[in-house]
Amino acid sequence: MYQVSEVAKLVGLSIPTIRYYEKLGLIDAPMKNDRGYKVYDDNIVQYLGFIVNLKDTDMPLEQIKKYVDAYKENDNQQCYSILQEHAEKMKAELAKRQQILEKVQYKISHFSTLKGGGK
């Protein structure tokens, strides 16, 4: 079991963000220990980590909430559709960034051949 400060360090979020995600229903409300402090189990930590992954790939919180709701309802088709659509967007973004990277690398190569450009 983890306290919120430990969870924040494990998943790379601030404590207020974790509380906000809880308020939105992205994660289940944690249990409380005998001293009244909220404690998070491994399942919540792992699930929160996946939410962070989705957020890191620019999935909007509204879409993450739709995924979480579908997951809680065991709506496998909806979960599949949401993740499939997001994966397609990620692939397109990666292809775009790859093209930009190639242009930047070309410019780096160009400037490295000029006097003083490769220092």
Side-chain angles (χ1 to χ4, degrees), residues 58-70:
D58 296 326
M59 182 182 270
L61 280 179
E62 180 180 297
Q63 194 71 6
I64 294 171
K65 177 70 170 134
K66 286 180 184 178
Y67 170 79
V68 167
D69 290 345

Side-chain angles (χ1 to χ4, degrees), residues 9-88:
K9 289 177 186 173
L10 287 170
V11 298
L13 291 176
S14 69
I15 293 170
T17 299
I18 293 170
R19 290 183 176 139
Y20 179 65
Y21 285 3
E22 182 184 332
K23 182 179 177 181
L24 289 178
L26 297 179
I27 58 172
D28 292 331
M31 299 182 309
K32 291 189 178 185
N33 65 15
D34 56 353
R35 296 187 323 191
Y37 293 111
K38 292 180 178 182
V39 289
Y40 300 78
D41 64 19
D42 286 324
N43 290 333
I44 292 177
V45 173
Q46 288 177 7
Y47 200 76
L48 191 54
F50 184 62
I51 291 170
V52 169
N53 291 155
L54 294 176
K55 190 74 177 125
D56 285 347
T57 59
D58 296 326
M59 182 182 270
L61 280 179
E62 180 180 297
Q63 194 71 6
I64 294 171
K65 177 70 170 134
K66 286 180 184 178
Y67 170 79
V68 167
D69 290 345
Y71 184 82
K72 287 178 180 178
E73 294 172 8
N74 292 318
D75 187 345
N76 296 334
Q77 180 59 42
Q78 183 69 7
C79 289
Y80 173 85
S81 296
I82 291 168
L83 293 178
Q84 181 65 29
E85 179 183 327
H86 186 63
E88 291 302 319

